[in-house]
């Protein structure tokens, strides 16, 4: 998974600038992002503050770690059950 080059503050900063009346094209030029990226951020993060966004990112990282763990354990289980079937 590709990691974003931005942390939480630019998301909120860009959204607040646009809400205050700055043109979206100017905000995008200032942060060196595309307008499509801005609107994706707006769709995902418009109602969140910095604290909630940090917590969301932490939860997403923990979720991905747990998903990898489940995948590894499932693979181990498959291997063990295959070994047991071959022994019988």
């Amino acid at each position: 998974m590709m990691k974003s080059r931005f942390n939480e503050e630019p998301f909120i900063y860009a959204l607040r600038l646009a809400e205050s009346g700055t043109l979206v094209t100017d905000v995008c030029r200032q942060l060196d992002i595309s307008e499509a990226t801005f609107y994706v951020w707006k769709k995902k993060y418009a109602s969140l503050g910095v604290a909630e966004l940090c917590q969301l990112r932490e939860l997403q990282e923990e979720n991905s770690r747990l998903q990898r763990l489940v995948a590894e354990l499932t693979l181990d289980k498959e291997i063990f059950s295959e070994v047991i079937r071959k022994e019988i």
Side-chain angles (χ1 to χ4, degrees), residues 6-87:
F6 294 101
N7 54 11
E8 290 81 16
E9 287 81 22
F11 296 153
I12 304 301
Y13 176 71
L15 295 174
R16 298 301 175 253
L17 275 177
E19 286 176 0
S20 68
T22 308
L23 294 175
V24 173
T25 54
D26 293 338
V27 173
C28 293
R29 191 175 304 121
Q30 183 179 1
L31 293 174
D32 194 29
I33 59 172
S34 69
E35 286 188 39
T37 301
F38 174 82
Y39 287 113
V40 167
W41 288 355
K42 184 175 180 180
K43 184 178 178 183
K44 284 184 179 180
Y45 307 117
S47 63
L48 300 177
V50 175
E52 291 90 5
L53 194 55
C54 291
Q55 185 178 16
L56 176 65
R57 178 145 316 173
E58 289 173 4
L59 289 173
Q60 287 173 340
E61 289 173 359
E62 182 181 4
N63 188 33
S64 64
R65 183 184 61 82
L66 292 173
Q67 285 177 342
R68 283 192 304 274
L69 182 63
V70 167
E72 290 173 6
L73 291 174
T74 304
L75 183 60
D76 289 346
K77 180 181 177 253
E78 274 299 313
I79 292 170
F80 290 143
S81 62
E82 194 172 304
V83 168
I84 290 173
R85 274 183 269 159
K86 286 183 180 180
E87 289 181 359

